[in-house]
Amino acid sequence: MDAASFAAFQAWSTPAYAASNIKSGRWTEAEAPAKAQAQVAQLLPQGRETPNHHFFDVIDTAGAAVGVLWFALNPGLAGAQAWVYEIMIQPQYRGQGLGRATMQAFEAEARNLGATSLGLNVFGYNEPALALYRSLGFLPTAIQMAKQLA
């Protein structure tokens, strides 16, 4: 991902992250923008040049940029884990296998970088992503649950 693509990515990804946290009920509309900005700033203190963070444009067979992938390689006691922070395929390109192909390419790249495991977070309301990740062999490691009181 070049600098221009990274700038465009940042322009939509942080607000989208805030919106997902609002939709999931984790954050209020008032607090979400600041919380999302703070988390991204903590994760990426050097922006695109932050060590161990990898950013890719997802390109379709016609050569068009149709999405993005951001992951980091995090060391751990049991080996390095490649953690997906963002995978997004533009809505008009979904359902064509691009998300699956991106995740498979991610797995191959993570192996090449020495990862021994993969991880990601998915919001509970995102059923298509949950189904994709399950079909690729991802299993839950923790489940947060909430109940709204009237």
Side-chain angles (χ1 to χ4, degrees):
M1 179 181 292
D2 64 19
S5 292
F6 182 76
F9 162 71
Q10 281 193 302
W12 66 259
S13 68
T14 304
Y17 179 58
S20 288
N21 277 284
I22 293 166
K23 185 174 181 177
S24 71
R26 293 182 64 220
W27 297 345
T28 67
E29 284 189 44
E31 69 185 344
K35 281 189 165 191
Q37 286 282 350
Q39 285 189 6
V40 170
Q42 182 179 16
L43 286 169
L44 298 173
Q46 298 172 34
R48 185 172 66 121
E49 304 305 320
T50 302
N52 296 319
H53 287 258
H54 305 271
F55 301 90
F56 297 91
D57 290 311
V58 176
I59 308 297
D60 71 4
T61 56
V66 299
V68 299
L69 171 68
W70 163 27
F71 73 89
L73 195 62
N74 301 313
L77 295 176
Q81 181 182 60
W83 184 268
V84 174
Y85 284 100
E86 182 75 62
I87 177 175
M88 187 281 301
I89 304 298
Q90 294 175 20
Q92 66 269 31
Y93 297 100
R94 293 178 186 162
Q96 300 175 27
L98 293 166
R100 176 174 300 281
T102 299
M103 289 299 293
Q104 289 168 332
F106 155 65
E107 184 171 339
E109 181 66 12
R111 282 182 195 274
N112 288 339
L113 292 170
T116 58
S117 68
L118 308 176
L120 54 80
N121 181 70
V122 59
F123 288 98
Y125 66 81
N126 194 344
E127 290 293 335
L130 284 163
L132 172 63
Y133 302 143
R134 284 185 189 117
S135 76
L136 291 168
F138 285 80
L139 300 172
T141 58
I143 299 174
Q144 288 185 342
M145 299 177 77
K147 178 179 179 179
Q148 297 298 317
L149 300 176

